[in-house]
Amino acid sequence: MDLYLIHKPEWFKNAAQLGNLYRNLCFAYITSFLFFFWNVHLQSYNTKVKSYRYVDHKVYRLHAMGVDLVLSLEGKERYRSLSKYPLPGVPEVQDLCDKVDPNHPLKFRYRPFQDWFELLDFINQETRRIVSELLIIKDVLDAELMTELINLSAYAERLIIYKDNDVEHKELASSAVPIWDYALACSVLSSKFKEKYIIYRDESWKYEKEDNIKYNRAQH
């Protein structure tokens, strides 16, 4: 506009004023974009890169807890690859719950529990603790990831909806759907995290490697 159009006659009345207004709007947009890119986007990106390992560890623990819960029903040990674990459907989980005596002691992650009701209460508390730790850094979490965390907390609370002081002669079938919902929510959370945060993984490893090198030099 400044090099060519300024020397041309107006195509219509007040065209020059409209052109100047358009140019000013373009300058304002470009300035705002650069400000956002340098002061907001880059800082947010770097923060997500540096916090990737922390969030990844928490999400992995939640996913593993959901898988281990269903595996405990099946009487199996930890699956090697959590992402490849075929989560049974609701009817299968219902059948497994029908066959389990909830009053017998069991081990979950090498920790003994008196019965299944104590285990479900532990999973609820552990889930809420991990979710609370993640929500502390909610500024670096994706909106969809936060939604899945809130949903997971709700599903964890449903695990103990049938808990009371007298658990003798109680059956676990009433908890089959909450157990399946919780395991599925853990799997969905892990999938959302990998989908949204995969772009930060490689740089996160680079930062961690550089930090280890600096730490080793300081120790030396």
Side-chain angles (χ1 to χ4, degrees), residues 28-79:
Y29 175 81
I30 294 174
T31 303
S32 301
F33 175 81
L34 293 176
F35 178 84
F36 173 83
F37 182 80
W38 289 106
N39 295 280
V40 179
H41 173 74
L42 288 183
Q43 291 186 11
S44 175
Y45 183 88
N46 291 332
T47 303
K48 288 183 178 180
V49 168
K50 295 180 179 179
S51 62
Y52 173 86
R53 299 299 301 166
Y54 176 83
V55 180
D56 178 58
H57 176 69
K58 299 295 183 182
V59 172
Y60 177 85
R61 291 188 61 183
L62 291 171
H63 189 194
M65 196 148 47
V67 171
D68 288 345
L69 177 58
V70 179
L71 287 176
S72 297
L73 290 173
E74 298 177 345
K76 299 178 182 179
E77 296 180 356
R78 166 69 66 82
Y79 215 72

Side-chain angles (χ1 to χ4, degrees), residues 55-163:
V55 180
D56 178 58
H57 176 69
K58 299 295 183 182
V59 172
Y60 177 85
R61 291 188 61 183
L62 291 171
H63 189 194
M65 196 148 47
V67 171
D68 288 345
L69 177 58
V70 179
L71 287 176
S72 297
L73 290 173
E74 298 177 345
K76 299 178 182 179
E77 296 180 356
R78 166 69 66 82
Y79 215 72
R80 289 186 177 182
S81 178
L82 297 179
S83 60
K84 296 181 180 179
Y85 173 70
L87 181 66
V90 177
E92 290 79 3
V93 174
Q94 186 77 48
D95 292 339
L96 292 172
C97 290
D98 290 336
K99 298 176 182 178
V100 171
D101 185 351
N103 300 297
H104 281 182
L106 71 154
K107 284 187 176 182
F108 183 79
R109 293 186 176 182
Y110 311 105
R111 175 176 174 178
F113 291 89
Q114 294 182 358
D115 49 52
W116 272 86
F117 301 98
E118 184 182 13
L119 170 60
L120 295 179
D121 185 53
F122 165 79
I123 291 177
N124 173 51
Q125 295 182 14
E126 188 70 4
T127 300
R128 295 177 64 182
R129 182 186 67 82
I130 296 175
V131 170
S132 297
E133 291 176 351
L134 285 174
L135 291 180
I136 292 176
I137 57 171
K138 60 182 180 180
D139 292 340
V140 301
L141 297 179
D142 184 84
E144 292 188 29
L145 194 66
M146 286 188 60
T147 301
E148 296 301 331
L149 286 172
I150 295 173
N151 292 338
L152 183 60
S153 295
Y155 288 128
E157 291 181 0
R158 295 179 187 176
L159 292 174
I160 58 172
I161 192 173
Y162 300 103
K163 178 186 175 184

